[in-house]
Amino acid sequence: MKICIACGMPMLEKSDFAGEDTKKDYCIHCTRPDGSMQSFEEKKAGMIHFIIKTQGFDYKAATKIAESNMKRLPAWKDCFNTEV
């Protein structure tokens, strides 16, 4: 079983993969219409919206939760390592 590198979703079925391509490391929910993976900013905005919609948090709290989750995902963890 693969885990999406961009959102952490388990990809169990072929239909879970971007373009139904099981060689890809990201899921259908993290895919742009052209088949490429969403950018950091696109994914962050999507996660914030999802958290607000499904869990009822306000924007500030949802942003904090989204960033906390994204820091642990392979696709984005380097985006947070900018401290010098």
Side-chain angles (χ1 to χ4, degrees):
M1 174 183 70
K2 277 184 156 179
I3 304 288
C4 176
I5 63 169
C7 73
M9 180 183 103
M11 299 186 293
L12 304 171
E13 306 292 331
K14 186 176 179 181
S15 61
D16 294 334
F17 290 81
E20 296 192 359
D21 181 352
T22 58
K23 293 178 185 170
K24 298 226 173 158
D25 294 323
Y26 51 96
C27 74
I28 189 168
H29 302 293
C30 297
T31 308
R32 293 178 176 145
D34 69 358
S36 63
M37 191 173 83
Q38 294 176 346
S39 70
F40 174 79
E41 291 302 328
E42 289 169 326
K43 192 64 212 169
K44 181 178 170 182
M47 285 183 150
I48 292 169
H49 176 74
F50 179 79
I51 291 166
I52 291 170
K53 184 177 177 182
T54 61
Q55 300 175 37
F57 287 99
D58 64 22
Y59 182 82
K60 185 176 179 182
T63 300
K64 198 169 187 175
I65 294 166
E67 289 177 350
S68 176
N69 290 335
M70 291 177 82
K71 286 178 182 176
R72 292 182 267 150
L73 295 166
W76 317 120
K77 64 182 179 183
D78 289 341
C79 295
F80 294 96
N81 293 333
T82 57
E83 295 178 25
V84 178

